[in-house]
Amino acid sequence: IERGLRKPSAEILKSLARALSLQAESLYQRAGLLDEAAAASVIDAIEADEQLATREKKILIDLYRTMATQDLTEEETS
């Protein structure tokens, strides 16, 4: 993984992110497992919605990130 010979699994990235106190999404993007533009557009859309309160935006973004990483983990086990 360190030398770039193989891509890390979603579960490994999730563990690394937790240990480094980083958002797993940023590691997924750097590893090429998550389309940066798609994730950014969803998060931007949530943040731009004036009908949502700040707390609601945070909950939706957290939910989106959880679902995106869960989908990646399920794809790797399939």
Side-chain angles (χ1 to χ4, degrees):
I1 293 171
E2 290 175 3
R3 294 180 302 183
L5 299 176
R6 49 176 249 181
K7 289 189 176 187
S9 69
E11 197 60 38
I12 295 292
L13 288 173
K14 188 175 180 180
S15 297
L16 286 171
R18 193 174 321 135
L20 297 171
S21 299
L22 298 172
Q23 291 181 351
E25 181 183 56
S26 64
L27 290 181
Y28 287 117
Q29 290 170 346
R30 294 190 76 152
L33 297 174
L34 183 62
D35 180 16
E36 188 173 337
S41 67
V42 171
I43 293 170
D44 288 344
I46 292 170
E47 289 176 345
D49 192 328
E50 295 177 2
Q51 296 179 348
L52 297 171
T54 302
R55 184 173 188 277
E56 294 169 329
K57 291 177 184 181
K58 182 184 179 330
I59 291 169
L60 285 173
I61 290 170
D62 289 345
L63 179 60
Y64 170 75
R65 288 180 174 148
T66 300
M67 296 303 290
T69 53
Q70 180 179 358
D71 287 346
L72 289 173
T73 304
E74 289 175 0
E75 286 176 12
E76 290 197 358
T77 58
S78 299

